[in-house]
CSV table of all heavy atoms in Angstrom, one decimal:
chain,number,residue,atom,x,y,z
A,29,LEU,N,-22.1,-3.6,0.6
A,29,LEU,CA,-21.4,-3.6,-0.6
A,29,LEU,C,-21.2,-5.1,-1.0
A,29,LEU,O,-20.7,-5.9,-0.3
A,29,LEU,CB,-20.0,-2.9,-0.5
A,29,LEU,CG,-19.1,-2.7,-1.7
A,29,LEU,CD1,-19.8,-1.8,-2.7
A,29,LEU,CD2,-17.9,-2.1,-1.2
A,30,THR,N,-21.5,-5.3,-2.3
A,30,THR,CA,-21.4,-6.7,-2.8
A,30,THR,C,-20.6,-6.6,-4.0
A,30,THR,O,-20.6,-5.6,-4.8
A,30,THR,CB,-22.7,-7.4,-3.1
A,30,THR,OG1,-23.5,-6.6,-4.0
A,30,THR,CG2,-23.7,-7.6,-1.8
A,31,CYS,N,-20.1,-7.7,-4.3
A,31,CYS,CA,-19.2,-7.9,-5.6
A,31,CYS,C,-19.8,-8.9,-6.5
A,31,CYS,O,-20.1,-10.0,-5.9
A,31,CYS,CB,-17.7,-8.3,-5.1
A,31,CYS,SG,-16.7,-8.6,-6.5
A,32,GLU,N,-20.3,-8.6,-7.6
A,32,GLU,CA,-20.8,-9.5,-8.6
A,32,GLU,C,-20.0,-9.6,-9.8
A,32,GLU,O,-19.5,-8.6,-10.3
A,32,GLU,CB,-22.3,-9.1,-8.9
A,32,GLU,CG,-23.1,-9.1,-7.7
A,32,GLU,CD,-24.5,-8.6,-8.0
A,32,GLU,OE1,-24.9,-8.5,-9.2
A,32,GLU,OE2,-25.3,-8.5,-7.2
A,33,ALA,N,-19.8,-10.9,-10.4
A,33,ALA,CA,-19.2,-11.1,-11.6
A,33,ALA,C,-19.8,-12.2,-12.4
A,33,ALA,O,-20.2,-13.1,-11.8
A,33,ALA,CB,-17.7,-11.4,-11.2
A,34,ASP,N,-19.6,-12.2,-13.6
A,34,ASP,CA,-20.1,-13.3,-14.5
A,34,ASP,C,-18.9,-14.0,-15.1
A,34,ASP,O,-17.9,-13.4,-15.4
A,34,ASP,CB,-21.0,-12.8,-15.7
A,34,ASP,CG,-22.3,-12.2,-15.1
A,34,ASP,OD1,-22.8,-12.8,-14.2
A,34,ASP,OD2,-22.7,-11.2,-15.6
A,35,GLY,N,-19.1,-15.2,-15.4
A,35,GLY,CA,-17.9,-16.1,-16.1
A,35,GLY,C,-18.2,-17.5,-16.1
A,35,GLY,O,-19.3,-18.0,-15.7
A,36,ASP,N,-17.4,-18.2,-16.9
A,36,ASP,CA,-17.7,-19.6,-17.1
A,36,ASP,C,-16.3,-20.3,-16.8
A,36,ASP,O,-15.3,-20.2,-17.7
A,36,ASP,CB,-18.1,-19.9,-18.5
A,36,ASP,CG,-18.4,-21.3,-18.7
A,36,ASP,OD1,-18.7,-22.2,-17.7
A,36,ASP,OD2,-18.6,-21.8,-19.8
A,37,PRO,N,-16.2,-21.0,-15.7
A,37,PRO,CA,-17.1,-21.2,-14.6
A,37,PRO,C,-17.4,-20.0,-13.8
A,37,PRO,O,-16.7,-19.1,-13.8
A,37,PRO,CB,-16.5,-22.3,-13.8
A,37,PRO,CG,-15.1,-22.1,-13.9
A,37,PRO,CD,-14.8,-21.6,-15.4
A,38,PRO,N,-18.6,-19.9,-13.1
A,38,PRO,CA,-18.8,-18.8,-12.3
A,38,PRO,C,-17.8,-18.5,-11.3
A,38,PRO,O,-17.3,-19.5,-10.7
A,38,PRO,CB,-20.2,-19.2,-11.6
A,38,PRO,CG,-20.8,-20.2,-12.5
A,38,PRO,CD,-19.7,-20.9,-13.1
A,39,PRO,N,-17.3,-17.3,-11.3
A,39,PRO,CA,-16.3,-17.0,-10.3
A,39,PRO,C,-16.7,-16.8,-8.9
A,39,PRO,O,-17.9,-16.5,-8.7
A,39,PRO,CB,-15.7,-15.6,-10.8
A,39,PRO,CG,-16.9,-15.0,-11.5
A,39,PRO,CD,-17.7,-16.1,-12.1
A,40,SER,N,-15.8,-17.1,-7.9
A,40,SER,CA,-16.1,-16.7,-6.5
A,40,SER,C,-15.7,-15.2,-6.4
A,40,SER,O,-14.8,-14.8,-7.0
A,40,SER,CB,-15.3,-17.7,-5.6
A,40,SER,OG,-13.8,-17.4,-5.8
A,41,THR,N,-16.3,-14.5,-5.5
A,41,THR,CA,-16.1,-13.0,-5.4
A,41,THR,C,-15.9,-12.7,-3.8
A,41,THR,O,-16.3,-13.4,-3.0
A,41,THR,CB,-17.2,-12.3,-5.9
A,41,THR,OG1,-18.4,-12.6,-5.1
A,41,THR,CG2,-17.4,-12.5,-7.4
A,42,ARG,N,-15.1,-11.6,-3.7
A,42,ARG,CA,-14.8,-11.1,-2.3
A,42,ARG,C,-14.7,-9.7,-2.5
A,42,ARG,O,-14.2,-9.1,-3.5
A,42,ARG,CB,-13.5,-11.6,-1.7
A,42,ARG,CG,-13.6,-13.0,-1.2
A,42,ARG,CD,-12.4,-13.4,-0.4
A,42,ARG,NE,-12.6,-14.8,0.1
A,42,ARG,CZ,-12.1,-15.1,1.2
A,42,ARG,NH1,-11.3,-14.2,1.9
A,42,ARG,NH2,-12.3,-16.3,1.7
A,43,CYS,N,-15.3,-8.9,-1.5
A,43,CYS,CA,-15.0,-7.5,-1.6
A,43,CYS,C,-14.8,-6.9,-0.2
A,43,CYS,O,-15.6,-7.4,0.8
A,43,CYS,CB,-16.3,-6.8,-2.1
A,43,CYS,SG,-16.2,-5.0,-2.4
A,44,GLY,N,-14.0,-6.1,0.1
A,44,GLY,CA,-13.7,-5.6,1.4
A,44,GLY,C,-12.5,-4.6,1.5
A,44,GLY,O,-11.9,-4.3,0.4
A,45,ARG,N,-12.2,-4.0,2.6
A,45,ARG,CA,-11.2,-3.1,2.8
A,45,ARG,C,-9.8,-3.7,2.8
A,45,ARG,O,-9.7,-4.8,3.4
A,45,ARG,CB,-11.4,-2.2,4.0
A,45,ARG,CG,-12.5,-1.3,3.9
A,45,ARG,CD,-12.6,-0.5,5.2
A,45,ARG,NE,-13.6,0.5,5.2
A,45,ARG,CZ,-13.7,1.6,5.8
A,45,ARG,NH1,-12.8,1.8,6.7
A,45,ARG,NH2,-14.7,2.5,5.5
A,46,PRO,N,-8.9,-3.1,2.1
A,46,PRO,CA,-7.5,-3.7,2.1
A,46,PRO,C,-7.1,-3.9,3.7
A,46,PRO,O,-7.2,-3.0,4.3
A,46,PRO,CB,-6.7,-2.7,1.4
A,46,PRO,CG,-7.7,-2.0,0.6
A,46,PRO,CD,-8.9,-1.9,1.3
A,47,GLY,N,-6.6,-5.1,4.0
A,47,GLY,CA,-6.0,-5.3,5.4
A,47,GLY,C,-7.1,-5.7,6.3
A,47,GLY,O,-6.8,-6.2,7.4
A,48,ALA,N,-8.3,-5.6,6.0
A,48,ALA,CA,-9.4,-6.0,7.0
A,48,ALA,C,-9.8,-7.5,6.8
A,48,ALA,O,-9.6,-8.1,5.7
A,48,ALA,CB,-10.7,-5.2,6.7
A,49,VAL,N,-10.3,-8.1,7.8
A,49,VAL,CA,-10.7,-9.5,7.7
A,49,VAL,C,-12.0,-9.5,7.0
A,49,VAL,O,-13.0,-8.8,7.3
A,49,VAL,CB,-10.9,-10.1,9.2
A,49,VAL,CG1,-11.4,-11.5,9.1
A,49,VAL,CG2,-9.6,-9.9,9.9
A,50,SER,N,-12.1,-10.3,6.0
A,50,SER,CA,-13.3,-10.4,5.1
A,50,SER,C,-14.1,-11.7,5.4
A,50,SER,O,-13.5,-12.8,5.9
A,50,SER,CB,-13.0,-10.2,3.6
A,50,SER,OG,-12.2,-11.3,3.2
A,51,SER,N,-15.4,-11.8,5.0
A,51,SER,CA,-16.1,-12.9,5.1
A,51,SER,C,-15.7,-14.0,4.1
A,51,SER,O,-15.2,-13.7,3.1
A,51,SER,CB,-17.6,-12.6,5.0
A,51,SER,OG,-18.1,-11.7,5.8
A,52,PRO,N,-15.8,-15.3,4.4
A,52,PRO,CA,-15.5,-16.3,3.4
A,52,PRO,C,-16.4,-16.1,2.3
A,52,PRO,O,-17.5,-15.6,2.3
A,52,PRO,CB,-15.9,-17.7,4.2
A,52,PRO,CG,-16.0,-17.3,5.7
A,52,PRO,CD,-16.3,-15.8,5.7
A,53,PRO,N,-15.9,-16.6,1.0
A,53,PRO,CA,-16.8,-16.6,-0.1
A,53,PRO,C,-18.0,-17.2,0.0
A,53,PRO,O,-18.3,-18.2,0.7
A,53,PRO,CB,-16.0,-17.3,-1.1
A,53,PRO,CG,-14.6,-17.4,-0.6
A,53,PRO,CD,-14.6,-17.4,0.9
A,54,GLY,N,-19.1,-16.5,-0.5
A,54,GLY,CA,-20.5,-17.0,-0.4
A,54,GLY,C,-21.2,-16.5,0.8
A,54,GLY,O,-22.4,-16.8,1.0
A,55,VAL,N,-20.5,-16.0,1.8
A,55,VAL,CA,-21.2,-15.5,3.0
A,55,VAL,C,-21.5,-14.0,2.9
A,55,VAL,O,-20.6,-13.2,2.7
A,55,VAL,CB,-20.3,-15.7,4.3
A,55,VAL,CG1,-20.9,-15.2,5.5
A,55,VAL,CG2,-20.0,-17.2,4.5
A,56,VAL,N,-22.8,-13.7,3.0
A,56,VAL,CA,-23.2,-12.4,2.9
A,56,VAL,C,-23.6,-11.7,4.3
A,56,VAL,O,-24.4,-12.4,5.0
A,56,VAL,CB,-24.4,-12.2,1.9
A,56,VAL,CG1,-25.0,-10.9,1.8
A,56,VAL,CG2,-24.1,-12.9,0.5
A,57,ALA,N,-23.0,-10.6,4.6
A,57,ALA,CA,-23.4,-10.0,5.9
A,57,ALA,C,-24.8,-9.4,5.7
A,57,ALA,O,-25.2,-9.0,4.7
A,57,ALA,CB,-22.4,-8.9,6.2
A,58,PRO,N,-25.5,-9.4,6.9
A,58,PRO,CA,-26.9,-8.8,6.8
A,58,PRO,C,-26.8,-7.4,6.6
A,58,PRO,O,-25.9,-6.7,7.0
A,58,PRO,CB,-27.4,-9.2,8.3
A,58,PRO,CG,-26.2,-9.4,9.1
A,58,PRO,CD,-25.2,-9.9,8.2
A,59,PRO,N,-27.9,-6.8,6.0
A,59,PRO,CA,-27.9,-5.4,5.8
A,59,PRO,C,-27.8,-4.6,7.1
A,59,PRO,O,-28.4,-5.1,8.1
A,59,PRO,CB,-29.3,-5.2,5.1
A,59,PRO,CG,-29.7,-6.5,4.7
A,59,PRO,CD,-29.1,-7.5,5.5
A,60,ARG,N,-27.2,-3.4,7.0
A,60,ARG,CA,-27.2,-2.6,8.2
A,60,ARG,C,-27.1,-1.1,7.7
A,60,ARG,O,-26.8,-0.8,6.5
A,60,ARG,CB,-25.9,-2.9,9.0
A,60,ARG,CG,-24.7,-2.6,8.3
A,60,ARG,CD,-23.4,-2.9,9.3
A,60,ARG,NE,-22.2,-2.7,8.7
A,60,ARG,CZ,-21.6,-1.5,8.4
A,60,ARG,NH1,-22.3,-0.4,8.7
A,60,ARG,NH2,-20.4,-1.4,7.9
A,61,ALA,N,-27.2,-0.3,8.6
A,61,ALA,CA,-27.2,1.2,8.3
A,61,ALA,C,-25.7,1.5,7.9
A,61,ALA,O,-24.8,1.0,8.6
A,61,ALA,CB,-27.6,2.1,9.6
A,62,VAL,N,-25.5,2.5,7.0
A,62,VAL,CA,-24.2,2.9,6.6
A,62,VAL,C,-23.9,4.3,7.4
A,62,VAL,O,-24.7,5.1,7.6
A,62,VAL,CB,-24.2,3.3,5.1
A,62,VAL,CG1,-23.0,3.8,4.6
A,62,VAL,CG2,-24.6,2.0,4.3
A,63,SER,N,-22.6,4.3,7.8
A,63,SER,CA,-22.1,5.5,8.4
A,63,SER,C,-20.9,6.1,7.7
A,63,SER,O,-20.4,5.4,6.8
A,63,SER,CB,-21.8,5.3,9.9
A,63,SER,OG,-20.6,4.6,10.0
A,64,ARG,N,-20.5,7.2,8.1
A,64,ARG,CA,-19.4,7.9,7.5
A,64,ARG,C,-18.1,7.0,7.7
A,64,ARG,O,-17.1,7.0,6.8
A,64,ARG,CB,-19.1,9.3,8.0
A,64,ARG,CG,-20.1,10.3,7.4
A,64,ARG,CD,-19.9,11.6,7.8
A,64,ARG,NE,-20.9,12.6,7.1
A,64,ARG,CZ,-21.6,13.3,7.8
A,64,ARG,NH1,-21.6,13.4,9.2
A,64,ARG,NH2,-22.5,14.1,7.1
A,65,ALA,N,-18.0,6.3,8.6
A,65,ALA,CA,-16.9,5.4,9.0
A,65,ALA,C,-16.7,4.3,7.9
A,65,ALA,O,-15.6,3.6,7.7
A,65,ALA,CB,-17.1,4.6,10.3
A,66,ASP,N,-17.8,4.1,7.1
A,66,ASP,CA,-17.8,3.1,6.0
A,66,ASP,C,-17.1,3.7,4.7
A,66,ASP,O,-16.9,2.9,3.9
A,66,ASP,CB,-19.2,2.6,5.7
A,66,ASP,CG,-19.7,1.8,7.0
A,66,ASP,OD1,-19.0,0.9,7.5
A,66,ASP,OD2,-20.9,2.1,7.3
A,67,ALA,N,-16.9,4.9,4.7
A,67,ALA,CA,-16.3,5.5,3.5
A,67,ALA,C,-14.9,5.0,3.4
A,67,ALA,O,-14.2,4.8,4.5
A,67,ALA,CB,-16.4,7.1,3.7
A,68,GLY,N,-14.4,4.9,2.1
A,68,GLY,CA,-13.0,4.5,2.0
A,68,GLY,C,-12.8,3.8,0.7
A,68,GLY,O,-13.8,3.5,-0.1
A,69,ARG,N,-11.7,3.1,0.6
A,69,ARG,CA,-11.3,2.3,-0.6
A,69,ARG,C,-11.6,0.9,-0.3
A,69,ARG,O,-11.4,0.4,1.0
A,69,ARG,CB,-9.9,2.4,-0.9
A,69,ARG,CG,-9.5,1.8,-2.2
A,69,ARG,CD,-8.1,2.1,-2.7
A,69,ARG,NE,-7.0,1.5,-1.8
A,69,ARG,CZ,-6.5,0.3,-2.2
A,69,ARG,NH1,-6.8,-0.4,-3.3
A,69,ARG,NH2,-5.5,-0.1,-1.4
A,70,TYR,N,-12.3,0.1,-1.2
A,70,TYR,CA,-12.6,-1.2,-1.1
A,70,TYR,C,-11.9,-1.9,-2.3
A,70,TYR,O,-11.8,-1.3,-3.3
A,70,TYR,CB,-14.0,-1.5,-1.0
A,70,TYR,CG,-14.8,-1.0,0.2
A,70,TYR,CD1,-15.0,0.3,0.5
A,70,TYR,CD2,-14.9,-1.9,1.3
A,70,TYR,CE1,-15.6,0.8,1.7
A,70,TYR,CE2,-15.6,-1.5,2.5
A,70,TYR,CZ,-15.8,-0.1,2.5
A,70,TYR,OH,-16.5,0.4,3.7
A,71,VAL,N,-11.7,-3.2,-2.1
A,71,VAL,CA,-11.1,-4.0,-3.2
A,71,VAL,C,-12.0,-5.2,-3.5
A,71,VAL,O,-12.4,-5.8,-2.5
A,71,VAL,CB,-9.7,-4.4,-2.9
A,71,VAL,CG1,-9.1,-5.3,-4.0
A,71,VAL,CG2,-8.7,-3.3,-2.7
A,72,CYS,N,-12.5,-5.2,-4.6
A,72,CYS,CA,-13.3,-6.4,-5.1
A,72,CYS,C,-12.6,-7.3,-6.0
A,72,CYS,O,-11.9,-6.9,-7.0
A,72,CYS,CB,-14.6,-5.9,-5.8
A,72,CYS,SG,-15.6,-4.8,-4.9
A,73,ARG,N,-12.6,-8.6,-5.8
A,73,ARG,CA,-11.8,-9.6,-6.5
A,73,ARG,C,-12.8,-10.7,-6.9
A,73,ARG,O,-13.5,-11.3,-6.2
A,73,ARG,CB,-10.8,-10.3,-5.5
A,73,ARG,CG,-9.9,-11.2,-6.2
A,73,ARG,CD,-8.9,-11.7,-5.1
A,73,ARG,NE,-8.3,-10.7,-4.4
A,73,ARG,CZ,-7.0,-10.1,-4.4
A,73,ARG,NH1,-6.4,-10.6,-5.5
A,73,ARG,NH2,-6.6,-9.2,-3.8
A,74,ALA,N,-12.7,-11.1,-8.2
A,74,ALA,CA,-13.3,-12.2,-8.7
A,74,ALA,C,-12.4,-13.3,-9.3
A,74,ALA,O,-11.4,-12.9,-10.0
A,74,ALA,CB,-14.3,-11.7,-9.9
A,75,SER,N,-12.6,-14.5,-9.0
A,75,SER,CA,-11.6,-15.5,-9.3
A,75,SER,C,-12.2,-16.8,-9.8
A,75,SER,O,-13.3,-17.2,-9.3
A,75,SER,CB,-10.7,-16.0,-8.1
A,75,SER,OG,-9.9,-14.9,-7.7
A,76,ASN,N,-11.7,-17.4,-11.0
A,76,ASN,CA,-12.1,-18.7,-11.3
A,76,ASN,C,-10.8,-19.4,-11.9
A,76,ASN,O,-9.8,-18.8,-11.7
A,76,ASN,CB,-13.2,-18.8,-12.3
A,76,ASN,CG,-13.0,-18.1,-13.6
A,76,ASN,OD1,-11.9,-17.9,-14.0
A,76,ASN,ND2,-14.0,-17.9,-14.4
A,77,ARG,N,-11.0,-20.6,-12.5
A,77,ARG,CA,-9.8,-21.3,-13.0
A,77,ARG,C,-9.1,-20.6,-14.1
A,77,ARG,O,-7.9,-21.0,-14.3
A,77,ARG,CB,-10.2,-22.7,-13.4
A,77,ARG,CG,-11.0,-22.7,-14.6
A,77,ARG,CD,-11.2,-24.3,-15.1
A,77,ARG,NE,-12.0,-24.2,-16.3
A,77,ARG,CZ,-12.9,-25.0,-16.6
A,77,ARG,NH1,-13.2,-25.9,-15.6
A,77,ARG,NH2,-13.5,-24.9,-17.7
A,78,HIS,N,-9.7,-19.6,-14.6
A,78,HIS,CA,-9.0,-18.8,-15.7
A,78,HIS,C,-8.2,-17.7,-15.3
A,78,HIS,O,-7.4,-17.1,-16.0
A,78,HIS,CB,-10.1,-18.4,-16.7
A,78,HIS,CG,-10.7,-19.5,-17.4
A,78,HIS,ND1,-10.2,-20.5,-18.3
A,78,HIS,CD2,-12.1,-19.9,-17.3
A,78,HIS,CE1,-11.0,-21.4,-18.6
A,78,HIS,NE2,-12.2,-21.0,-18.0
A,79,GLY,N,-8.3,-17.4,-13.9
A,79,GLY,CA,-7.6,-16.2,-13.4
A,79,GLY,C,-8.4,-15.4,-12.4
A,79,GLY,O,-9.4,-15.8,-11.9
A,80,THR,N,-7.8,-14.2,-12.0
A,80,THR,CA,-8.3,-13.3,-11.0
A,80,THR,C,-8.4,-11.9,-11.7
A,80,THR,O,-7.5,-11.6,-12.2
A,80,THR,CB,-7.5,-13.4,-9.8
A,80,THR,OG1,-7.5,-14.7,-9.3
A,80,THR,CG2,-8.1,-12.4,-8.7
A,81,VAL,N,-9.4,-11.3,-11.3
A,81,VAL,CA,-9.7,-9.8,-11.7
A,81,VAL,C,-9.8,-9.1,-10.4
A,81,VAL,O,-10.7,-9.5,-9.6
A,81,VAL,CB,-10.7,-9.6,-12.8
A,81,VAL,CG1,-11.0,-8.1,-13.0
A,81,VAL,CG2,-10.5,-10.3,-14.0
A,82,THR,N,-9.2,-7.9,-10.2
A,82,THR,CA,-9.3,-7.0,-9.0
A,82,THR,C,-9.7,-5.7,-9.4
A,82,THR,O,-9.1,-5.2,-10.4
A,82,THR,CB,-8.0,-7.1,-8.2
A,82,THR,OG1,-7.7,-8.5,-7.9
A,82,THR,CG2,-8.2,-6.3,-7.0
A,83,ARG,N,-10.6,-5.1,-8.7
A,83,ARG,CA,-11.1,-3.6,-9.0
A,83,ARG,C,-11.0,-3.0,-7.6
A,83,ARG,O,-11.5,-3.5,-6.7
A,83,ARG,CB,-12.4,-3.5,-9.7
A,83,ARG,CG,-12.4,-4.2,-11.0
A,83,ARG,CD,-11.7,-3.3,-12.0
A,83,ARG,NE,-11.8,-3.8,-13.3
A,83,ARG,CZ,-11.0,-4.6,-14.0
A,83,ARG,NH1,-10.0,-5.0,-13.4
A,83,ARG,NH2,-11.3,-4.9,-15.2
A,84,SER,N,-10.6,-1.8,-7.7
A,84,SER,CA,-10.7,-0.9,-6.5
A,84,SER,C,-11.9,0.1,-6.7
A,84,SER,O,-12.0,0.7,-7.7
A,84,SER,CB,-9.4,-0.1,-6.4
A,84,SER,OG,-9.3,0.7,-5.3
A,85,VAL,N,-12.6,0.2,-5.5
A,85,VAL,CA,-13.8,1.1,-5.6
A,85,VAL,C,-13.7,2.0,-4.3
A,85,VAL,O,-13.4,1.6,-3.2
A,85,VAL,CB,-15.1,0.2,-5.4
A,85,VAL,CG1,-16.3,1.0,-5.4
A,85,VAL,CG2,-15.2,-0.9,-6.5
A,86,VAL,N,-14.0,3.3,-4.7
A,86,VAL,CA,-14.0,4.3,-3.5
A,86,VAL,C,-15.5,4.6,-3.2
A,86,VAL,O,-16.3,5.0,-4.0
A,86,VAL,CB,-13.2,5.6,-3.9
A,86,VAL,CG1,-13.3,6.6,-2.9
A,86,VAL,CG2,-11.8,5.2,-4.2
A,87,VAL,N,-15.8,4.4,-2.0
A,87,VAL,CA,-17.1,4.7,-1.4
A,87,VAL,C,-17.2,6.0,-0.5
A,87,VAL,O,-16.2,6.0,0.3
A,87,VAL,CB,-17.6,3.5,-0.5
A,87,VAL,CG1,-18.9,3.8,0.1
A,87,VAL,CG2,-17.7,2.1,-1.3
A,88,SER,N,-17.9,6.8,-0.9
A,88,SER,CA,-18.1,8.1,-0.1
A,88,SER,C,-19.5,8.1,0.5
A,88,SER,O,-20.5,7.7,0.0
A,88,SER,CB,-17.9,9.3,-0.9
A,88,SER,OG,-18.8,9.5,-1.9
A,89,VAL,N,-19.6,8.5,1.8
A,89,VAL,CA,-20.9,8.6,2.5
A,89,VAL,C,-21.0,10.1,2.9
A,89,VAL,O,-20.3,10.7,3.7
A,89,VAL,CB,-20.9,7.7,3.7
A,89,VAL,CG1,-22.3,7.8,4.5
A,89,VAL,CG2,-20.5,6.3,3.4
A,90,GLU,N,-22.1,10.7,2.3
A,90,GLU,CA,-22.3,12.0,2.5
A,90,GLU,C,-23.4,12.4,3.5
A,90,GLU,O,-23.5,13.5,4.1
A,90,GLU,CB,-22.7,12.7,1.2
A,90,GLU,CG,-21.6,12.6,0.1
A,90,GLU,CD,-21.9,13.3,-1.2
A,90,GLU,OE1,-23.0,14.0,-1.2
A,90,GLU,OE2,-21.2,13.0,-2.1
A,91,CYS,N,-24.2,11.4,4.0
A,91,CYS,CA,-25.2,11.8,4.9
A,91,CYS,C,-25.4,10.5,5.9
A,91,CYS,O,-25.4,9.4,5.3
A,91,CYS,CB,-26.5,12.0,4.2
A,91,CYS,SG,-27.9,12.2,5.3
A,92,GLU,N,-25.6,10.6,7.1
A,92,GLU,CA,-26.1,9.7,8.1
A,92,GLU,C,-27.6,9.9,8.3
A,92,GLU,O,-27.8,10.6,9.4
A,92,GLU,CB,-25.2,9.7,9.3
A,92,GLU,CG,-23.8,9.3,9.0
A,92,GLU,CD,-22.9,9.1,10.2
A,92,GLU,OE1,-23.3,8.3,11.1
A,92,GLU,OE2,-21.9,9.9,10.3
A,93,CYS,N,-28.4,9.4,7.5
A,93,CYS,CA,-29.9,9.6,7.7
A,93,CYS,C,-30.4,9.0,9.1
A,93,CYS,O,-29.9,7.9,9.3
A,93,CYS,CB,-30.7,9.2,6.5
A,93,CYS,SG,-30.1,10.1,5.0
A,94,GLY,N,-31.3,9.5,9.6
A,94,GLY,CA,-31.9,9.1,10.8
A,94,GLY,C,-31.1,9.2,12.0
A,94,GLY,O,-31.5,8.7,13.1
A,95,ARG,N,-30.1,10.0,12.0
A,95,ARG,CA,-29.3,10.3,13.2
A,95,ARG,C,-29.5,11.7,13.7
A,95,ARG,O,-28.7,12.3,14.5
A,95,ARG,CB,-27.8,10.2,12.9
A,95,ARG,CG,-27.5,8.8,12.5
A,95,ARG,CD,-26.2,8.4,12.8
A,95,ARG,NE,-25.8,7.0,12.4
A,95,ARG,CZ,-25.4,6.1,13.2
A,95,ARG,NH1,-25.1,6.4,14.5
A,95,ARG,NH2,-25.1,4.9,12.7
A,96,GLY,N,-30.8,12.4,13.4
A,96,GLY,CA,-30.9,13.6,13.9
A,96,GLY,C,-30.4,14.7,13.0
A,96,GLY,O,-30.7,15.9,13.4
A,97,VAL,N,-29.6,14.5,12.1
A,97,VAL,CA,-29.0,15.6,11.3
A,97,VAL,C,-30.1,16.1,10.3
A,97,VAL,O,-30.7,15.4,9.6
A,97,VAL,CB,-27.8,15.1,10.5
A,97,VAL,CG1,-27.4,16.1,9.6
A,97,VAL,CG2,-26.8,14.4,11.3
A,98,GLY,N,-30.3,17.4,10.4
A,98,GLY,CA,-31.3,18.1,9.5
A,98,GLY,C,-32.8,17.7,9.9
A,98,GLY,O,-33.7,18.1,9.2
A,99,MET,N,-33.0,17.1,11.1
A,99,MET,CA,-34.4,16.8,11.4
A,99,MET,C,-34.9,17.8,12.5
A,99,MET,O,-34.2,18.2,13.3
A,99,MET,CB,-34.5,15.5,12.1
A,99,MET,CG,-34.0,14.3,11.2
A,99,MET,SD,-34.1,12.8,11.9
A,99,MET,CE,-35.9,12.4,11.8
A,100,ALA,N,-36.2,18.2,12.2
A,100,ALA,CA,-36.9,19.3,13.2
A,100,ALA,C,-37.4,18.6,14.3
A,100,ALA,O,-37.8,17.5,14.3
A,100,ALA,CB,-37.8,19.9,12.4
């Protein structure tokens, strides 16, 4: 999950679960498989010298592909 925002000056962004330790701004975690444990509410925040905007996003995971579910 990435958080992207436009602005002048360009804002710094962060996205993560409330209360969880997040990566520093500009650090992107490597891609990985998604599981049902990743479902839940995330908060994305964009900030620059003009202020901060925060949005809440709910992520649902309906399938864990490649885990033998539905495979013959």
Side-chain angles (χ1 to χ4, degrees):
L29 185 63
T30 60
C31 178
E32 296 180 7
D34 292 321
D36 185 16
S40 63
T41 59
R42 284 187 178 215
C43 189
R45 287 184 175 202
V49 176
S50 62
S51 301
V55 175
V56 178
R60 64 174 181 77
V62 175
S63 73
R64 289 189 177 117
D66 294 310
R69 187 169 74 93
Y70 290 78
V71 176
C72 297
R73 179 182 318 261
S75 300
N76 68 13
R77 70 174 182 223
H78 300 294
T80 300
V81 176
T82 303
R83 296 288 186 264
S84 181
V85 179
V86 176
V87 174
S88 61
V89 179
E90 297 182 11
C91 176
E92 292 185 62
C93 298
R95 300 213 180 231
V97 177
M99 298 179 76

